[in-house]
Amino acid sequence: MQITMLKAKLHRATVTHAELGYEGSCAIDGKILDYSGIREYEQIQIYNVNNGERFTTYAIRAEEGSGIFSINGAAARLACPGDYIIVCSYAELDEAELKNYQPTLVYFNDKNDMVKTAHSIPVQAA
């Protein structure tokens, strides 16, 4: 049996561009892609914290160190510069792979600087 698990989460990144005329996708700073393990052209889910929109696209590489999170193509209608987003990728794992599995979690400030990394989400208190 395969189970879909969170592979990487980029938490509260700030949208820097929304390019309606660009050929689809979400451009993400290459350094962030490399650190998180998200590959170029990999399917990603984007969750817009500001307006609740949730959509699927794929990642492309933006200039390393640029802090770019650009929502492109039709998805540019779902996010505006300044919006906070959560970007997630998922992986299909079998039971053996789950034993030692940990996702990569990356947290950002409002300038898209990586401020914290983790491999688990704290337990939610009542």
Side-chain angles (χ1 to χ4, degrees), residues 22-114:
Y22 194 82
E23 182 185 340
S25 70
C26 177
I28 300 173
D29 179 324
K31 182 178 171 183
I32 294 167
L33 287 179
D34 292 344
Y35 184 84
S36 68
I38 297 174
R39 295 174 183 252
E40 189 167 22
Y41 308 115
E42 182 175 346
Q43 179 177 297
I44 55 175
Q45 300 287 320
I46 298 179
Y47 313 126
N48 188 324
V49 175
N50 292 72
N51 65 21
E53 291 286 353
R54 300 166 73 92
F55 53 96
T56 304
T57 188
Y58 59 94
I60 62 170
R61 183 173 291 272
E63 183 179 347
E64 290 190 17
S66 65
I68 287 175
F69 279 82
S70 182
I71 309 299
N72 300 321
R77 297 203 185 274
L78 305 176
C80 298
D83 284 356
Y84 292 114
I85 57 173
I86 299 167
V87 177
C88 293
S89 69
Y90 296 89
E92 299 288 328
L93 303 175
D94 63 30
E95 291 292 332
E97 293 170 310
L98 289 172
K99 290 187 194 297
N100 297 311
Y101 181 74
Q102 294 182 316
T104 300
L105 313 172
V106 184
Y107 299 83
F108 297 90
N109 64 17
D110 60 359
K111 294 183 170 110
N112 288 339
D113 298 318
M114 292 187 285

Coordinates of all heavy atoms in Angstrom, one line a residue, residues 22-114:
Y22 N 2.7 34.9 -17.9 CA 3.8 34.0 -17.9 C 3.2 32.6 -18.1 O 2.1 32.3 -17.7 CB 4.6 34.1 -16.6 CG 5.9 33.3 -16.7 CD1 7.0 34.0 -17.2 CD2 6.0 32.1 -16.2 CE1 8.2 33.3 -17.3 CE2 7.2 31.4 -16.3 CZ 8.3 32.0 -16.8 OH 9.5 31.4 -16.9
E23 N 4.0 31.7 -18.6 CA 3.6 30.3 -18.9 C 3.5 29.4 -17.7 O 4.3 28.7 -17.3 CB 4.6 29.6 -19.9 CG 4.2 28.3 -20.3 CD 5.3 27.6 -21.1 OE1 6.2 28.3 -21.7 OE2 5.3 26.4 -21.2
G24 N 2.4 29.6 -16.9 CA 2.0 28.7 -15.8 C 3.1 28.6 -14.7 O 4.2 29.2 -14.8
S25 N 2.8 27.9 -13.7 CA 3.7 27.5 -12.7 C 3.9 28.5 -11.5 O 3.3 29.5 -11.5 CB 5.1 27.1 -13.3 OG 5.7 28.3 -13.7
C26 N 4.8 28.1 -10.6 CA 5.2 29.0 -9.5 C 6.7 29.0 -9.5 O 7.3 28.0 -9.3 CB 4.6 28.4 -8.2 SG 5.2 29.4 -6.7
A27 N 7.3 30.2 -9.7 CA 8.7 30.3 -9.6 C 9.1 30.5 -8.2 O 8.6 31.4 -7.5 CB 9.2 31.5 -10.5
I28 N 10.1 29.7 -7.7 CA 10.6 29.8 -6.3 C 12.1 29.9 -6.3 O 12.7 29.2 -7.1 CB 10.1 28.5 -5.6 CG1 8.6 28.4 -5.5 CG2 10.7 28.5 -4.1 CD1 8.1 27.1 -5.0
D29 N 12.6 30.8 -5.5 CA 14.0 31.0 -5.3 C 14.7 29.6 -5.3 O 14.3 28.7 -4.6 CB 14.2 31.7 -4.0 CG 15.7 31.9 -3.6 OD1 16.5 31.1 -3.9 OD2 15.9 32.9 -3.0
G30 N 15.7 29.4 -6.2 CA 16.4 28.1 -6.4 C 17.0 27.6 -5.1 O 17.1 26.4 -4.9
K31 N 17.5 28.5 -4.3 CA 18.1 28.1 -3.0 C 17.1 27.4 -2.1 O 17.4 26.4 -1.5 CB 18.7 29.3 -2.3 CG 19.4 29.0 -1.0 CD 20.0 30.3 -0.5 CE 20.5 30.1 0.9 NZ 21.0 31.4 1.5
I32 N 15.9 28.0 -2.1 CA 14.8 27.4 -1.3 C 14.4 26.0 -1.9 O 14.1 25.1 -1.1 CB 13.6 28.4 -1.3 CG1 14.0 29.6 -0.5 CG2 12.4 27.7 -0.6 CD1 13.1 30.8 -0.6
L33 N 14.3 25.9 -3.2 CA 13.9 24.6 -3.8 C 15.0 23.6 -3.4 O 14.6 22.5 -3.0 CB 13.9 24.7 -5.3 CG 12.7 25.4 -6.0 CD1 12.9 25.5 -7.5 CD2 11.4 24.8 -5.6
D34 N 16.2 23.9 -3.5 CA 17.3 22.9 -3.2 C 17.2 22.5 -1.7 O 17.3 21.3 -1.4 CB 18.7 23.5 -3.5 CG 18.9 23.7 -5.0 OD1 18.2 23.1 -5.8 OD2 19.8 24.5 -5.3
Y35 N 17.0 23.5 -0.8 CA 17.0 23.2 0.6 C 15.8 22.3 0.9 O 15.9 21.3 1.7 CB 17.0 24.4 1.5 CG 17.1 24.1 2.9 CD1 18.3 23.8 3.5 CD2 15.9 23.9 3.7 CE1 18.3 23.4 4.8 CE2 16.0 23.5 5.0 CZ 17.2 23.2 5.6 OH 17.2 22.8 6.9
S36 N 14.7 22.6 0.4 CA 13.4 21.9 0.7 C 13.3 20.5 0.0 O 12.5 19.7 0.4 CB 12.2 22.7 0.3 OG 12.1 22.9 -1.1
G37 N 14.1 20.3 -1.0 CA 14.0 19.1 -1.8 C 12.9 19.1 -2.8 O 12.6 18.1 -3.4
I38 N 12.3 20.2 -3.0 CA 11.3 20.3 -4.1 C 12.0 20.5 -5.4 O 12.9 21.3 -5.6 CB 10.3 21.5 -3.9 CG1 9.5 21.4 -2.6 CG2 9.4 21.7 -5.1 CD1 8.7 22.6 -2.2
R39 N 11.7 19.6 -6.4 CA 12.4 19.6 -7.7 C 11.7 20.5 -8.7 O 10.5 20.7 -8.6 CB 12.4 18.2 -8.2 CG 13.2 17.3 -7.4 CD 13.1 15.9 -8.0 NE 13.8 14.9 -7.2 CZ 14.9 14.4 -7.5 NH1 15.5 14.6 -8.7 NH2 15.5 13.5 -6.7
E40 N 12.5 21.1 -9.6 CA 11.9 21.8 -10.7 C 10.9 20.9 -11.4 O 11.2 19.8 -11.7 CB 13.0 22.4 -11.6 CG 12.4 23.4 -12.6 CD 13.5 24.2 -13.3 OE1 14.6 23.7 -13.4 OE2 13.2 25.3 -13.8
Y41 N 9.7 21.5 -11.8 CA 8.6 20.8 -12.5 C 7.9 19.8 -11.6 O 7.0 19.1 -12.1 CB 9.1 20.1 -13.8 CG 9.9 21.0 -14.7 CD1 11.2 20.8 -14.9 CD2 9.3 22.1 -15.2 CE1 12.0 21.6 -15.7 CE2 10.0 23.0 -16.0 CZ 11.3 22.8 -16.3 OH 12.0 23.6 -17.1
E42 N 8.2 19.8 -10.3 CA 7.4 18.9 -9.4 C 6.1 19.5 -9.1 O 6.0 20.8 -8.9 CB 8.2 18.7 -8.1 CG 7.5 17.8 -7.1 CD 8.4 17.6 -5.9 OE1 9.6 17.8 -5.9 OE2 7.8 17.1 -4.9
Q43 N 5.0 18.7 -9.0 CA 3.7 19.2 -8.6 C 3.7 19.7 -7.2 O 4.3 19.1 -6.3 CB 2.7 18.1 -8.8 CG 1.3 18.6 -8.4 CD 0.2 17.5 -8.6 OE1 0.0 17.0 -9.7 NE2 -0.4 17.0 -7.5
I44 N 3.1 20.9 -7.0 CA 3.0 21.5 -5.7 C 1.5 22.0 -5.5 O 0.8 22.2 -6.4 CB 3.9 22.7 -5.5 CG1 3.8 23.7 -6.6 CG2 5.4 22.2 -5.4 CD1 4.6 25.0 -6.4
Q45 N 1.2 22.0 -4.2 CA -0.1 22.6 -3.8 C 0.2 23.9 -3.2 O 1.2 24.1 -2.4 CB -0.8 21.7 -2.8 CG -1.1 20.3 -3.3 CD -2.3 20.3 -4.3 OE1 -3.2 21.0 -4.1 NE2 -2.1 19.5 -5.3
I46 N -0.6 25.0 -3.5 CA -0.4 26.3 -2.9 C -1.7 26.6 -2.2 O -2.8 26.5 -2.7 CB -0.1 27.3 -3.9 CG1 1.2 27.0 -4.6 CG2 0.0 28.7 -3.3 CD1 1.7 27.9 -5.7
Y47 N -1.5 27.1 -0.9 CA -2.6 27.4 0.0 C -2.5 28.9 0.3 O -1.5 29.3 0.9 CB -2.7 26.6 1.2 CG -2.5 25.1 1.0 CD1 -1.5 24.4 1.6 CD2 -3.3 24.5 0.0 CE1 -1.4 23.0 1.3 CE2 -3.2 23.1 -0.2 CZ -2.2 22.4 0.4 OH -2.1 21.0 0.1
N48 N -3.4 29.8 -0.2 CA -3.3 31.2 0.1 C -3.9 31.5 1.4 O -5.1 31.4 1.6 CB -4.0 32.0 -1.1 CG -3.7 33.4 -1.0 OD1 -3.7 34.0 0.0 ND2 -3.6 34.1 -2.2
V49 N -3.1 32.0 2.3 CA -3.5 32.3 3.7 C -4.5 33.5 3.7 O -5.4 33.6 4.4 CB -2.3 32.6 4.6 CG1 -2.8 33.0 6.0 CG2 -1.5 31.3 4.7
N50 N -4.3 34.4 2.8 CA -5.1 35.7 2.7 C -6.5 35.5 2.3 O -7.4 36.1 2.8 CB -4.4 36.7 1.9 CG -3.1 37.2 2.5 OD1 -2.1 36.5 2.5 ND2 -3.1 38.4 3.0
N51 N -6.7 34.6 1.2 CA -8.0 34.5 0.7 C -8.6 33.1 0.7 O -9.7 32.9 0.2 CB -8.0 35.1 -0.8 CG -7.2 34.3 -1.7 OD1 -6.8 33.2 -1.5 ND2 -6.8 35.0 -2.8
G52 N -7.8 32.1 1.2 CA -8.3 30.8 1.3 C -8.3 30.0 0.0 O -8.6 28.8 0.0
E53 N -7.8 30.5 -1.1 CA -7.6 29.8 -2.4 C -6.6 28.6 -2.2 O -5.6 28.8 -1.5 CB -7.2 30.7 -3.5 CG -8.2 31.7 -3.9 CD -9.3 31.1 -4.8 OE1 -9.3 29.9 -5.1 OE2 -10.2 31.9 -5.1
R54 N -6.9 27.5 -2.8 CA -6.1 26.4 -2.8 C -6.0 25.9 -4.2 O -7.0 25.7 -4.9 CB -6.6 25.3 -1.9 CG -6.8 25.7 -0.4 CD -7.6 24.8 0.4 NE -6.9 23.5 0.7 CZ -6.2 23.3 1.8 NH1 -6.1 24.2 2.7 NH2 -5.7 22.1 2.0
F55 N -4.7 25.7 -4.7 CA -4.6 25.3 -6.1 C -3.3 24.5 -6.4 O -2.4 24.5 -5.5 CB -4.7 26.5 -7.1 CG -3.7 27.6 -6.8 CD1 -2.5 27.7 -7.4 CD2 -4.0 28.6 -5.8 CE1 -1.6 28.7 -7.1 CE2 -3.2 29.6 -5.6 CZ -1.9 29.7 -6.2
T56 N -3.4 23.8 -7.5 CA -2.2 22.9 -7.9 C -1.5 23.5 -9.0 O -2.1 24.0 -10.0 CB -2.8 21.5 -8.3 OG1 -3.5 21.0 -7.2 CG2 -1.7 20.6 -8.6
T57 N -0.2 23.5 -9.0 CA 0.6 23.9 -10.1 C 1.9 23.1 -10.0 O 2.0 22.0 -9.4 CB 0.8 25.4 -10.1 OG1 1.5 25.8 -11.3 CG2 1.6 25.9 -8.9
Y58 N 3.0 23.6 -10.6 CA 4.3 23.0 -10.5 C 5.4 24.1 -10.2 O 5.2 25.2 -10.5 CB 4.6 22.2 -11.8 CG 4.6 23.0 -13.0 CD1 5.8 23.5 -13.5 CD2 3.5 23.2 -13.7 CE1 5.8 24.3 -14.7 CE2 3.5 24.0 -14.9 CZ 4.7 24.5 -15.4 OH 4.7 25.3 -16.5
A59 N 6.5 23.6 -9.7 CA 7.5 24.5 -9.3 C 8.5 24.7 -10.5 O 8.8 23.8 -11.2 CB 8.3 24.0 -8.1
I60 N 9.0 26.0 -10.6 CA 10.1 26.2 -11.5 C 11.1 27.1 -10.7 O 10.8 27.7 -9.7 CB 9.7 27.0 -12.8 CG1 9.1 28.3 -12.5 CG2 8.8 26.1 -13.7 CD1 8.8 29.2 -13.8
R61 N 12.3 27.1 -11.2 CA 13.4 27.7 -10.5 C 13.5 29.2 -10.8 O 13.5 29.6 -12.0 CB 14.7 27.0 -10.9 CG 16.0 27.6 -10.2 CD 17.2 26.7 -10.5 NE 17.1 25.4 -9.9 CZ 17.5 25.1 -8.7 NH1 18.1 26.0 -8.0 NH2 17.3 23.9 -8.3
A62 N 13.5 30.0 -9.7 CA 13.8 31.4 -9.8 C 15.3 31.6 -9.4 O 15.9 30.7 -8.9 CB 12.9 32.2 -9.0
E63 N 15.8 32.8 -9.7 CA 17.2 33.1 -9.3 C 17.5 32.8 -7.9 O 16.7 33.2 -7.0 CB 17.4 34.6 -9.6 CG 18.8 35.1 -9.4 CD 19.0 36.6 -9.7 OE1 18.1 37.2 -10.3 OE2 20.0 37.1 -9.3
E64 N 18.6 32.2 -7.6 CA 19.0 31.8 -6.3 C 19.3 33.1 -5.5 O 19.9 34.0 -5.9 CB 20.3 30.9 -6.3 CG 20.0 29.6 -6.9 CD 21.1 28.6 -6.7 OE1 22.0 28.8 -5.9 OE2 21.1 27.6 -7.4
G65 N 18.8 33.1 -4.2 CA 19.0 34.2 -3.3 C 18.0 35.3 -3.6 O 18.1 36.4 -2.9
S66 N 17.1 35.2 -4.5 CA 16.2 36.3 -4.9 C 15.0 36.5 -3.9 O 14.4 37.5 -3.9 CB 15.7 36.1 -6.3 OG 14.9 35.0 -6.4
G67 N 14.6 35.4 -3.3 CA 13.4 35.4 -2.4 C 12.1 35.4 -3.2 O 11.1 35.6 -2.7
I68 N 12.2 35.1 -4.5 CA 11.0 35.1 -5.4 C 10.1 34.0 -5.1 O 10.5 32.8 -5.0 CB 11.5 35.1 -6.9 CG1 12.1 36.5 -7.2 CG2 10.3 34.8 -7.8 CD1 12.6 36.5 -8.7
F69 N 8.8 34.3 -5.0 CA 7.7 33.4 -5.0 C 6.7 34.0 -6.0 O 6.0 34.9 -5.6 CB 7.0 33.2 -3.7 CG 7.8 32.2 -2.8 CD1 8.9 32.6 -2.0 CD2 7.3 30.9 -2.7 CE1 9.5 31.7 -1.2 CE2 8.0 30.0 -1.8 CZ 9.1 30.4 -1.1
S70 N 6.8 33.6 -7.3 CA 6.0 34.2 -8.3 C 4.9 33.2 -8.8 O 5.2 32.1 -9.2 CB 6.8 34.6 -9.5 OG 6.0 35.2 -10.5
I71 N 3.6 33.7 -8.6 CA 2.5 32.9 -9.1 C 2.2 33.3 -10.5 O 1.9 34.4 -10.8 CB 1.2 33.1 -8.2 CG1 1.6 33.0 -6.7 CG2 0.1 32.2 -8.6 CD1 2.1 31.6 -6.3
N72 N 2.2 32.3 -11.4 CA 2.2 32.6 -12.8 C 1.0 32.0 -13.6 O 0.4 31.0 -13.1 CB 3.5 32.1 -13.5 CG 4.7 32.8 -12.9 OD1 4.7 33.9 -12.6 ND2 5.8 32.0 -12.7
G73 N 0.7 32.5 -14.7 CA -0.3 32.0 -15.6 C -1.7 32.2 -14.9 O -1.9 33.2 -14.2
A74 N -2.6 31.3 -15.2 CA -4.0 31.4 -14.7 C -4.0 31.5 -13.1 O -4.9 32.2 -12.6 CB -4.9 30.2 -15.1
A75 N -3.1 30.9 -12.5 CA -3.1 30.9 -11.0 C -2.8 32.3 -10.5 O -3.1 32.6 -9.3 CB -2.0 30.0 -10.5
A76 N -2.3 33.2 -11.3 CA -2.0 34.6 -10.9 C -3.3 35.3 -10.5 O -3.2 36.3 -9.8 CB -1.3 35.4 -12.0
R77 N -4.4 34.8 -10.9 CA -5.7 35.4 -10.4 C -6.1 34.9 -9.0 O -7.0 35.4 -8.4 CB -6.8 35.0 -11.4 CG -6.6 35.5 -12.8 CD -7.9 35.6 -13.6 NE -7.7 36.1 -14.9 CZ -7.6 37.3 -15.3 NH1 -7.7 38.3 -14.4 NH2 -7.5 37.6 -16.6
L78 N -5.3 34.0 -8.5 CA -5.6 33.4 -7.1 C -4.7 33.9 -6.0 O -4.9 33.6 -4.9 CB -5.5 31.9 -7.2 CG -6.4 31.2 -8.3 CD1 -6.1 29.7 -8.3 CD2 -7.9 31.6 -8.1
A79 N -3.7 34.7 -6.4 CA -2.8 35.3 -5.4 C -2.2 36.6 -5.9 O -2.0 36.8 -7.1 CB -1.6 34.3 -5.1
C80 N -2.0 37.5 -4.9 CA -1.5 38.8 -5.2 C -0.1 39.0 -4.5 O 0.1 38.5 -3.4 CB -2.4 39.9 -4.8 SG -4.0 39.9 -5.6
P81 N 0.7 39.9 -5.1 CA 1.9 40.2 -4.3 C 1.6 40.7 -2.9 O 0.6 41.4 -2.7 CB 2.6 41.3 -5.1 CG 2.1 41.0 -6.5 CD 0.7 40.5 -6.4
G82 N 2.3 40.2 -1.9 CA 2.0 40.5 -0.5 C 1.2 39.4 0.2 O 1.2 39.4 1.4
D83 N 0.5 38.6 -0.6 CA -0.2 37.5 0.1 C 0.7 36.5 0.7 O 1.8 36.2 0.2 CB -1.1 36.7 -0.9 CG -2.3 37.5 -1.3 OD1 -2.6 38.6 -0.8 OD2 -3.1 36.9 -2.2
Y84 N 0.3 35.9 1.8 CA 1.1 34.8 2.4 C 0.5 33.5 1.9 O -0.7 33.3 1.8 CB 0.9 34.8 4.0 CG 1.5 36.0 4.6 CD1 0.8 36.9 5.3 CD2 2.9 36.2 4.6 CE1 1.3 38.0 5.9 CE2 3.5 37.3 5.3 CZ 2.7 38.2 5.9 OH 3.3 39.3 6.5
I85 N 1.5 32.6 1.5 CA 1.1 31.3 1.0 C 1.9 30.2 1.7 O 2.9 30.4 2.3 CB 1.4 31.2 -0.5 CG1 2.9 31.5 -0.8 CG2 0.5 32.1 -1.3 CD1 3.3 31.2 -2.3
I86 N 1.3 29.0 1.7 CA 1.9 27.8 2.1 C 2.1 26.9 0.9 O 1.1 26.7 0.1 CB 1.1 27.1 3.2 CG1 1.0 28.0 4.4 CG2 1.7 25.8 3.6 CD1 -0.1 27.6 5.4
V87 N 3.3 26.5 0.6 CA 3.5 25.6 -0.6 C 3.9 24.2 -0.1 O 4.8 24.1 0.8 CB 4.7 26.2 -1.4 CG1 5.0 25.3 -2.6 CG2 4.5 27.6 -1.9
C88 N 3.2 23.2 -0.6 CA 3.4 21.9 -0.1 C 3.7 20.9 -1.3 O 3.1 21.1 -2.3 CB 2.2 21.3 0.7 SG 1.9 22.2 2.2
S89 N 4.6 20.0 -1.1 CA 4.7 18.9 -2.0 C 4.5 17.6 -1.2 O 4.7 17.6 0.0 CB 6.1 18.9 -2.7 OG 7.1 18.6 -1.8
Y90 N 4.1 16.6 -2.0 CA 3.8 15.3 -1.3 C 4.5 14.2 -2.0 O 4.9 14.3 -3.2 CB 2.2 15.1 -1.4 CG 1.5 16.1 -0.6 CD1 1.1 17.3 -1.2 CD2 1.2 15.9 0.7 CE1 0.4 18.3 -0.5 CE2 0.5 16.9 1.4 CZ 0.1 18.1 0.8 OH -0.6 19.0 1.5
A91 N 4.6 13.0 -1.3 CA 5.3 11.9 -1.9 C 4.5 10.6 -1.5 O 3.9 10.6 -0.5 CB 6.7 11.7 -1.3
E92 N 4.5 9.6 -2.4 CA 3.9 8.4 -2.1 C 4.9 7.4 -1.5 O 6.0 7.2 -2.1 CB 3.4 7.7 -3.5 CG 2.4 8.6 -4.2 CD 1.0 8.6 -3.5 OE1 0.7 7.5 -2.9 OE2 0.4 9.6 -3.6
L93 N 4.6 6.9 -0.3 CA 5.6 6.1 0.4 C 4.9 4.8 0.8 O 3.7 4.7 1.0 CB 6.0 6.8 1.7 CG 6.7 8.2 1.6 CD1 7.0 8.8 2.9 CD2 8.0 8.1 0.7
D94 N 5.7 3.7 0.8 CA 5.2 2.4 1.3 C 5.5 2.3 2.8 O 6.2 3.1 3.4 CB 5.8 1.3 0.5 CG 7.3 1.1 0.6 OD1 7.9 1.5 1.6 OD2 7.9 0.7 -0.4
E95 N 5.0 1.2 3.4 CA 5.1 1.0 4.8 C 6.6 1.0 5.3 O 6.9 1.6 6.3 CB 4.5 -0.3 5.2 CG 3.0 -0.3 5.1 CD 2.3 0.6 6.1 OE1 2.8 0.9 7.2 OE2 1.2 1.1 5.8
A96 N 7.5 0.4 4.5 CA 8.9 0.4 4.9 C 9.5 1.8 5.0 O 10.3 2.1 5.9 CB 9.7 -0.5 4.0
E97 N 9.2 2.6 4.0 CA 9.7 4.0 3.9 C 9.2 4.9 5.0 O 9.8 5.8 5.4 CB 9.3 4.6 2.6 CG 10.0 4.0 1.4 CD 9.5 4.4 0.0 OE1 8.2 4.4 -0.1 OE2 10.3 4.8 -0.8
L98 N 8.0 4.6 5.6 CA 7.4 5.4 6.6 C 8.1 5.3 8.0 O 8.0 6.2 8.8 CB 5.9 5.0 6.8 CG 5.0 5.4 5.7 CD1 3.6 4.8 5.9 CD2 4.9 6.9 5.6
K99 N 8.8 4.2 8.2 CA 9.5 4.0 9.5 C 10.3 5.1 10.0 O 10.3 5.5 11.1 CB 10.2 2.7 9.5 CG 9.3 1.5 9.5 CD 10.2 0.2 9.6 CE 9.4 -1.0 9.3 NZ 8.3 -1.4 10.0
N100 N 11.2 5.7 9.1 CA 12.1 6.8 9.4 C 11.8 8.1 8.7 O 12.7 8.9 8.6 CB 13.5 6.3 9.2 CG 13.9 5.2 10.0 OD1 13.7 5.2 11.2 ND2 14.5 4.1 9.4
Y101 N 10.6 8.2 8.2 CA 10.3 9.3 7.3 C 10.0 10.6 8.1 O 9.4 10.6 9.2 CB 9.0 9.1 6.5 CG 8.7 10.2 5.6 CD1 9.4 10.5 4.5 CD2 7.7 11.1 6.0 CE1 9.2 11.6 3.7 CE2 7.4 12.2 5.2 CZ 8.2 12.4 4.1 OH 8.0 13.5 3.3
Q102 N 10.6 11.7 7.6 CA 10.4 13.1 8.2 C 10.3 14.1 7.0 O 11.1 14.0 6.1 CB 11.5 13.5 9.1 CG 11.6 12.7 10.3 CD 12.7 13.2 11.2 OE1 13.8 13.5 10.7 NE2 12.5 13.3 12.5
P103 N 9.3 14.9 7.0 CA 9.2 15.9 6.0 C 10.2 17.1 6.3 O 10.7 17.2 7.4 CB 7.7 16.5 6.1 CG 7.4 16.3 7.6 CD 8.1 15.0 8.0
T104 N 10.4 17.9 5.3 CA 11.2 19.1 5.5 C 10.3 20.3 5.5 O 9.5 20.5 4.6 CB 12.2 19.3 4.3 OG1 13.0 18.1 4.2 CG2 13.0 20.6 4.4
L105 N 10.3 21.0 6.6 CA 9.5 22.2 6.9 C 10.4 23.4 6.9 O 11.4 23.5 7.7 CB 8.7 22.0 8.2 CG 8.1 20.7 8.4 CD1 7.5 20.6 9.8 CD2 7.0 20.5 7.4
V106 N 10.0 24.5 6.1 CA 10.8 25.7 6.1 C 9.8 26.9 6.4 O 8.8 27.0 5.8 CB 11.4 25.9 4.7 CG1 12.3 27.1 4.7 CG2 12.3 24.7 4.3
Y107 N 10.2 27.7 7.3 CA 9.4 28.9 7.7 C 10.1 30.2 7.3 O 11.3 30.3 7.4 CB 9.3 28.8 9.3 CG 8.6 27.6 9.7 CD1 9.3 26.4 9.9 CD2 7.2 27.6 10.0 CE1 8.6 25.2 10.3 CE2 6.5 26.4 10.4 CZ 7.3 25.3 10.6 OH 6.6 24.1 11.0
F108 N 9.3 31.1 6.9 CA 9.8 32.4 6.4 C 9.3 33.6 7.2 O 8.3 33.6 7.8 CB 9.3 32.5 4.9 CG 9.8 31.4 4.0 CD1 9.1 30.3 3.9 CD2 11.0 31.6 3.4 CE1 9.6 29.3 3.1 CE2 11.5 30.6 2.6 CZ 10.8 29.4 2.4
N109 N 10.1 34.7 7.1 CA 9.7 36.0 7.5 C 9.0 36.7 6.3 O 8.9 36.1 5.2 CB 10.8 36.8 8.2 CG 11.9 37.2 7.2 OD1 11.7 37.1 6.0 ND2 13.0 37.6 7.7
D110 N 8.6 37.9 6.5 CA 7.9 38.6 5.4 C 8.8 39.1 4.2 O 8.3 39.6 3.2 CB 7.0 39.8 5.9 CG 7.9 40.9 6.6 OD1 9.1 40.7 6.7 OD2 7.3 41.9 7.1
K111 N 10.1 38.8 4.4 CA 11.0 39.1 3.3 C 11.5 37.8 2.6 O 12.4 37.9 1.8 CB 12.2 39.9 3.8 CG 11.8 41.3 4.3 CD 13.1 42.0 4.8 CE 12.7 43.5 5.0 NZ 12.7 44.0 6.3
N112 N 10.8 36.7 2.9 CA 11.1 35.4 2.4 C 12.5 34.9 2.7 O 13.1 34.1 2.0 CB 10.9 35.4 0.9 CG 9.4 35.4 0.5 OD1 8.6 35.0 1.4 ND2 9.1 35.7 -0.7
D113 N 13.0 35.4 3.9 CA 14.2 34.8 4.5 C 13.8 33.6 5.2 O 12.8 33.6 6.0 CB 14.9 35.8 5.4 CG 15.4 37.1 4.8 OD1 15.9 37.0 3.7 OD2 15.2 38.1 5.4
M114 N 14.6 32.5 5.1 CA 14.3 31.3 5.9 C 14.7 31.6 7.3 O 15.9 31.9 7.6 CB 15.1 30.1 5.3 CG 14.7 29.6 4.0 SD 15.5 28.1 3.4 CE 17.1 28.7 3.0

